[in-house]
Amino acid sequence: MPEALIALGGNVGDVGETLTHAIAAFCDDSIVRLMARSSDYRTPPWGVTDQPPFINCAIVAAAALPPLDLLARAQAVERQFGRDRSKEQRWGPRTLDIDLIAYDGITLDTSELTLPHPRALERAFVLMPLAEIAPDWRIAGIRTADALAKLDQAGIEKL
């Protein structure tokens, strides 16, 4: 099965508990299988900085779904845990965010999904958990560990 890198995070409610249950809901059967899970990381807010810190983690999942169906599954899990994209501020507080970062080396650019994630290599809060579980995975030809080494990691704390 193809493998995907997936980043998760949130900063509203009991985020650690939400992440654990969201990963279980996302990887709940033979269609999407959890292959690896990073530690949780407390990270400073990005974009909108006047909000609580986030808790972020990452997973590697084997998926018997094409990328757009995997995205739909991720968004269904977000809704299950209280996320309503129509009522939130971009980069603002949220109960749960699930982002597809990369999918089996596929390049995709649609109105719904861009792979690899267009800003993943700019965000230490995404790359730190990914580098923990997939340091040699290449995103746009760059190893996650190498991309992370070039970024400011200040304020990120492994929990």
Side-chain angles (χ1 to χ4, degrees):
M1 277 197 291
E3 290 187 346
L5 292 182
I6 298 158
L8 299 95
N11 70 342
V12 174
D14 185 345
V15 180
E17 189 80 7
T18 297
L19 293 174
T20 297
H21 291 295
I23 291 168
F26 187 72
C27 302
D28 70 346
D29 54 32
S30 60
I31 294 174
V32 179
R33 273 196 331 254
L34 180 64
M35 306 304 289
R37 185 201 196 281
S38 75
S39 302
D40 290 344
Y41 291 82
R42 181 176 292 113
T43 63
W46 191 91
V48 176
T49 57
D50 185 22
Q51 61 180 316
F54 279 75
I55 305 296
N56 293 94
C57 70
I59 63 172
V60 176
L65 295 171
L68 288 172
D69 291 345
L70 193 61
L71 175 65
R73 185 179 182 116
Q75 290 174 344
V77 171
E78 288 178 344
R79 287 189 301 276
Q80 179 183 340
F81 287 88
R83 184 165 186 190
D84 182 349
R85 289 176 178 263
S86 70
K87 295 181 180 176
E88 67 185 29
Q89 176 185 17
R90 183 176 179 151
W91 299 320
R94 62 200 62 205
T95 56
L96 178 63
D97 185 30
I98 303 176
D99 285 329
L100 275 60
I101 304 302
Y103 183 101
D104 208 38
I106 289 176
T107 300
L108 183 68
D109 190 5
T110 72
S111 59
E112 296 87 16
L113 178 62
T114 301
L115 290 172
H117 190 289
R119 291 170 298 284
L121 297 175
E122 303 166 5
R123 298 176 174 175
F125 67 86
V126 170
L127 290 174
M128 189 168 287
L130 288 175
E132 177 187 331
I133 58 173
D136 295 322
W137 189 303
R138 293 184 180 274
I139 299 172
I142 302 169
R143 291 176 61 244
T144 56
D146 294 339
L148 176 61
K150 296 177 183 177
L151 297 179
D152 179 3
Q153 300 169 35
I156 299 178
E157 173 188 1
K158 185 175 180 179
L159 299 177

